[in-house]
Amino acid sequence: MTLAETKKLPSPVGESKTRLDVIEKVTGAAVYTDDIPFGPGLLHARVKRSPHAHAKILKIDYSKAEALPGVKVVVTGEDFPKRIGLYLVDKHIFARDRVRFIGEPVAAVAAINADIAEKALDLIEVEYEPLEAVFDPVYGASPEAPLLHPDMADYDVPNYIFPQAGTNIANHFKIRKGDVERAWEQCAAVVESEFYIPHVQHVPIEPHVAVARWDDDGTLTLWAASQSPFAQRNLIAKSFGVSQSDVRVIAPLVGGGFGCKAGVTMEALPVAIASKVKGRAVKLTLTREEEFFTNFVRQALVIKLKMGCDADGNLVALKNTMYWDGGASTEYGVNITRAGGYNSTGPYFFPNVHTDSLCVYTNHPIGGAYRGFGMSELHTGIEQTIDMLAEKMGIDAVDFRLKNCVKGGDIILTGMTMHPTGLNQCIEKAAKAIEWGKEAKPSSPNKLRGKGIALMWKAPSMPPNAGSSAEVKFSEDGTVTVSLGGQEIGQGAFTVMAQMAAGVLGIPYESVRVRGPLDTRYSPYEWQTVASRLTWSMGNAVVAAAQDARDQLLDLAADHWDEEVEDLDIVNGKVISYKSEQEMSVKDIGIYGLPNENFEGWKGGPIVGRGSFMPTYVTNLDFETGQGDRAVVHYTTGAQAFDIEIDKETGRIEVLKSASAFDVGRAINPELVRAQIEGGFIQGYSSAVYEQMLLKEGAMLNPSFVDYRIATAVDIPIEHHVDIIEVPQDDGPWGARGIGEHPMVPTIAALANAIYDATGLRLEGPPFTAEKLYLAMLDAGLVE
């Protein structure tokens, strides 16, 4: 039956959409496709997942599932022997010899509709032998723990990740600066602390969805809601043994990412399934329950700190040991551990530092990129300990921070010289906004009032050679199309790139179009949309591309007018001469060029500007000491502060005032910067007060919005003050740096410090729920 001969039938699963049906010659059943671009005969996939946290797979029998009418293919790990991973290549697409977390894919079915695929899963019989599991990263790092990845020594890994074969430590990053043990003798005060920051979920509004199709010529097309289409192309090509040029990833706008749609997670599943049904597209959509624990989650952290200062309040020494709960695979998480290591002092100058940052395999869900990339967790410990030390010395917490915060020219923990930063201004602005130092009484006898502040810093956590590229083309009407490879995930990246292109070209912003969706076949290369790097890295590429196009326009006009380029400019879409006062519109020359005298031939032609950017100056860090000339490209710094009340009868927190101040280098679009700061603050507040994945022996107990609370509009503080500080970055476009992740980094710590100021209580870690606070106050005798 041809496509033209098909009939439209109502969906058998009761959906309101009318779908195209294609009569199956073998079964006589109707196949329904959701979308014509995927081709007729779209198949729907469902995944059989492990019910065990750690177990051997003894036998998989899928004969009954395979025989179910409407099922087109069943796959298992036996079909896909190669591993996949971004940093540490440690993960199979489907489990093979063993399962390592509850929810790990074991098998999958593709069928003519989702209902049949779901029924087929129940017909797959898997026999397991349970094994001892690891749920505590501290125990997991010990010699007594069972090995979860006995073959780790064979895994591929870049030269800046340091797995410890024969252990569960997937990465051990060290900082050794000065002599910490001798430095304790110089300290007038020393404090020690330990905190636990739990797993949380990204909970994007749009769950993960991907469609894959292998064609008969061996090429693959993948449609995915992705922050990383080029990384997906590369990793999938490697895992399936094909050329990257034969893999095409199409990534429309993303309905919420926050890191969970970075790298390759569930996208490899439909790719694998589709490889067994060439010519037919396979669609996989995660349920909300699957979204909670089968994909990336934010790693949990156990952080142990010892910190000391001298009699004048100068920080002297820091010992920081971090146990990151990497989960069953640490293919992405090992880099979070590395980032935790080279950020391990927080934004403070310590002459003596001893850091051990350990990424530990456990039988929890897979830890991956999450907004802040480990910095919220790290700063939750650092900033509370800073407050503890200041209190022990009898020094005001703001004054203590102003005295010790990192400043331009400091030699920081890795041996790198800190670039200019406006952190001091951030501290002062945030403190002023909540009237720090001014006594504030509770609004009623049954409430306690407190103020807290916390600082942050964060560098883009990326390989030393992560690159960006861009292209600028003119249309006949003078409009400009910018092609790029970075993704729009709601942060306004496309808006800012259009502004940058317009600014360089001298044309109105309204004349710029940013091309989408991203398509690795046509879009210029971009490493990933992560690490708050697009404004800086992709921005530099767009500026270079626009400058290339501008130079071509001006060279052409100078030749045509027989003038010097230095005398020309482009203003509001017109090339003008300050010397001869001639002018012409860019739309007259952007495509067709200009005629020679008497129209004896033409010069110019379609203007296409190309630009790329890659930092060339990031150096390796020594394995034993973590020292090197330049560990990162730059740091974004900032501060947040709270003025709160706590109801003694309920434990509920009310935010009276809150404030954020961040040094963004240069705010290309101040309103978007403000929106990022406000949104990041709310997400940080959500993780501070509400969010926690409740895990019991590897099983998530609250995988729904009924039991997993996130902040909503009703939780937004009535007053949130924002200050934008601008100390330009030397290698940023117009001095700009990123600000996407940073606003949620200090929130937990700032709120914890305010809670302590109000109650005198330090909790082990977030979330600071009303119930937890009430019970803590009850135990402390603060309430009757």
Side-chain angles (χ1 to χ4, degrees):
M1 177 172 286
T2 66
L3 186 63
E5 294 172 320
T6 60
K7 300 176 181 179
K8 288 186 176 181
L9 299 175
S11 167
V13 293
E15 295 187 12
S16 59
K17 290 182 181 179
T18 299
R19 297 175 173 181
L20 179 72
D21 77 283
V22 177
I23 302 302
E24 287 292 321
K25 295 180 180 178
V26 177
T27 66
V31 176
Y32 295 84
T33 64
D34 285 319
D35 208 339
I36 299 299
F38 304 138
L42 176 71
L43 299 178
H44 296 263
R46 297 299 298 140
V47 179
K48 182 79 169 180
R49 300 182 181 277
S50 167
H52 298 282
H54 193 202
K56 285 184 180 180
I57 299 175
L58 301 180
K59 182 182 178 182
I60 302 177
D61 183 352
Y62 54 84
S63 57
K64 294 178 183 177
E66 204 170 34
L68 184 69
V71 170
K72 295 303 171 186
V73 68
V74 181
V75 299
T76 70
E78 291 302 311
D79 299 304
F80 308 103
K82 288 191 174 182
R83 294 186 178 90
I84 193 169
L86 183 63
Y87 292 102
L88 181 62
V89 186
D90 69 351
K91 182 174 64 175
H92 285 112
I93 297 172
F94 292 92
R96 287 172 60 83
D97 60 330
R98 68 169 82 184
V99 292
R100 294 179 172 89
F101 73 101
I102 293 174
E104 182 170 5
V106 175
V109 173
I112 60 174
N113 62 47
D115 282 355
I116 293 175
E118 193 70 42
K119 290 177 183 177
L121 293 187
D122 294 334
L123 301 177
I124 299 174
E125 299 174 358
V126 186
E127 186 178 343
Y128 298 96
E129 178 186 321
L131 299 171
E132 181 185 352
V134 174
F135 303 119
D136 175 7
V138 178
Y139 169 66
S142 70
E144 292 76 25
L147 286 184
L148 303 186
H149 284 258
D151 299 328
M152 184 167 58
D154 299 328
Y155 297 167
D156 292 334
V157 64
N159 65 357
Y160 50 85
I161 303 296
F162 309 114
Q164 307 298 297
T167 75
N168 288 320
I169 300 171
N171 189 24
H172 185 179
F173 185 91
K174 305 174 186 176
I175 294 288
R176 304 291 187 264
K177 178 188 177 187
D179 188 336
V180 166
E181 294 308 316
R182 292 186 62 184
W184 301 126
E185 301 170 4
Q186 307 167 28
C187 295
V190 175
V191 296
E192 297 187 57
S193 62
E194 180 175 338
F195 298 97
Y196 173 73
I197 299 87
H199 297 85
V200 300
Q201 232 304 318
H202 309 72
V203 289
I205 297 301
E206 174 200 38
H208 279 72
V209 58
V211 179
R213 186 186 69 227
W214 288 88
D215 291 322
D216 290 335
D217 61 1
T219 60
L220 166 68
T221 303
L222 171 66
W223 294 264
S226 172
Q227 296 176 233
S228 310
F230 287 93
Q232 288 181 348
R233 179 186 70 174
N234 184 40
L235 296 178
I236 288 170
K238 287 181 177 179
S239 184
F240 286 85
V242 299
S243 169
Q244 283 82 352
S245 62
D246 290 332
V247 178
R248 180 185 182 189
V249 181
I250 301 172
L253 300 182
V254 175
F258 314 112
C260 71
K261 292 171 184 171
V264 175
T265 55
M266 60 76 72
E267 298 83 11
L269 298 172
V271 170
I273 302 164
S275 70
K276 303 300 182 181
V277 282
K278 295 283 180 68
R280 301 192 63 166
V282 174
K283 180 178 182 179
L284 176 63
T285 303
L286 295 190
T287 66
R288 178 56 64 182
E289 183 174 352
E290 287 177 314
E291 187 73 39
F292 267 105
F293 64 90
T294 69
N295 245 40
F296 280 167
V297 303
R298 190 183 77 181
Q299 296 182 123
L301 173 66
V302 176
I303 181 169
K304 301 181 179 184
L305 296 159
K306 184 177 181 180
M307 186 184 296
C309 66
D310 65 20
D312 295 322
N314 299 299
L315 292 172
V316 172
L318 172 70
K319 185 173 184 180
N320 184 347
T321 305
M322 292 175 280
Y323 297 90
W324 300 89
D325 188 332
S329 164
T330 62
E331 54 106 354
Y332 213 124
V334 288
N335 197 39
I336 300 172
T337 299
R338 183 173 188 269
Y342 60 65
N343 287 284
S344 59
T345 58
Y348 298 98
F349 175 74
F350 285 89
N352 302 282
V353 182
H354 183 288
T355 293
D356 289 294
S357 187
L358 307 166
C359 186
V360 185
Y361 283 120
T362 68
N363 295 113
H364 279 144
I366 296 173
Y370 180 94
R371 189 177 189 177
F373 212 68
M375 296 304 101
S376 296
E377 304 91 282
L378 161 66
H379 285 76
T380 295
I382 290 288
E383 286 297 315
Q384 290 189 80
T385 310
I386 285 285
D387 252 34
M388 293 164 63
L389 187 57
E391 182 184 37
K392 191 167 186 177
M393 288 295 297
I395 302 175
D396 177 81
V398 167
D399 292 339
F400 193 67
R401 287 174 166 82
L402 287 168
K403 185 181 187 69
N404 288 289
C405 71
V406 68
K407 302 170 181 65
D410 284 349
I411 305 300
I412 59 175
L413 69 164
T414 59
M416 171 179 162
T417 301
M418 182 65 183
H419 56 76
T421 175
L423 183 54
N424 265 25
Q425 298 174 57
C426 294
I427 299 170
E428 291 167 350
K429 292 286 188 181
K432 181 180 178 182
I434 66 161
E435 299 182 292
W436 185 273
K438 181 179 178 181
E439 185 180 0
K441 296 181 179 180
S443 60
S444 67
N446 69 322
K447 293 188 177 181
L448 301 171
R449 189 164 181 176
K451 297 180 180 182
I453 191 168
L455 314 186
M456 65 74 59
W457 71 348
K458 183 188 181 298
S461 304
M462 63 188 200
N465 59 340
S468 302
S469 58
E471 193 173 72
V472 169
K473 294 180 180 179
F474 277 86
S475 298
E476 291 85 347
D477 62 356
T479 56
V480 167
T481 297
V482 177
S483 298
L484 38 73
Q487 183 62 285
E488 176 60 64
I489 53 176
Q491 81 280 44
F494 284 8
T495 299
V496 170
M497 295 305 116
Q499 286 184 264
M500 290 184 179
V504 173
L505 288 168
I507 63 175
Y509 165 77
E510 293 78 11
S511 296
V512 180
R513 313 286 187 267
V514 176
R515 181 177 178 175
L518 302 186
D519 185 334
T520 58
R521 179 177 289 177
Y522 304 111
S523 301
Y525 176 83
E526 181 64 52
W527 176 62
Q528 292 190 86
T529 302
V530 297
S532 305
R533 56 182 287 281
L534 288 195
T535 296
W536 163 76
S537 182
M538 189 168 74
N540 274 326
V542 168
V543 167
Q547 187 63 53
D548 182 30
R550 176 187 175 90
D551 290 345
Q552 294 177 54
L553 288 169
L554 293 179
D555 286 343
L556 181 59
D559 180 66
H560 187 66
W561 289 336
D562 193 23
E563 296 191 28
E564 299 296 323
V565 169
E566 291 74 18
D567 294 325
L568 307 184
D569 200 355
I570 306 177
V571 178
N572 201 29
K574 293 182 178 180
V575 181
I576 64 172
S577 168
Y578 293 118
K579 183 178 181 180
S580 64
E581 298 186 356
Q582 298 184 83
E583 67 176 45
M584 70 175 83
S585 173
V586 295
K587 72 178 181 180
D588 296 330
I589 59 177
I591 290 288
Y592 298 118
L594 290 168
N596 294 324
E597 189 173 357
N598 298 321
F599 290 89
E600 296 293 335
W602 289 72
K603 52 181 171 282
I607 299 294
V608 179
R610 295 181 176 87
S612 62
F613 174 77
M614 183 185 78
T616 59
Y617 34 76
V618 177
T619 60
N620 264 345
L621 301 179
D622 183 82
F623 165 65
E624 291 296 340
T625 66
Q627 300 300 296
D629 291 336
R630 187 160 180 174
V632 298
V633 291
H634 59 251
Y635 285 91
T636 295
T637 59
Q640 280 181 349
F642 280 94
D643 180 2
I644 66 168
E645 283 189 334
I646 301 174
D647 190 317
K648 291 194 291 184
E649 295 176 354
T650 65
R652 182 179 177 274
I653 297 171
E654 180 181 359
V655 178
L656 305 177
K657 291 181 182 178
S658 57
S660 296
F662 289 89
D663 175 13
V664 303
R666 179 73 182 273
I668 303 297
N669 187 314
E671 287 307 307
L672 283 179
V673 169
R674 184 179 298 276
Q676 281 292 297
I677 291 174
E678 291 172 347
F681 168 80
I682 292 300
Q683 190 170 359
Y685 184 76
S686 184
S687 66
V689 177
Y690 302 119
E691 295 185 51
Q692 180 178 7
M693 293 176 63
L694 298 175
L695 295 166
K696 183 176 182 180
E697 301 202 349
M700 186 176 180
L701 304 181
N702 57 333
S704 77
F705 287 128
V706 174
D707 299 309
Y708 188 99
R709 170 84 191 277
I710 61 173
T712 64
V714 299
D715 302 300
I716 298 174
I718 294 174
E719 183 178 344
H720 184 68
H721 182 86
V722 173
D723 281 295
I724 299 172
I725 309 301
E726 297 179 296
V727 176
Q729 185 63 38
D730 59 356
D731 64 347
W734 290 279
R737 285 188 296 271
I739 190 59
E741 299 169 277
H742 311 83
M744 77 168 294
V745 170
T747 316
I748 299 173
L751 184 60
N753 287 337
I755 291 170
Y756 179 82
D757 186 49
T759 66
L761 301 174
R762 285 213 179 272
L763 304 182
E764 180 190 23
F768 308 126
T769 62
E771 179 185 18
K772 186 186 290 185
L773 276 174
Y774 175 79
L775 292 175
M777 290 189 295
L778 187 65
D779 289 344
L782 297 177
V783 296
E784 297 179 358

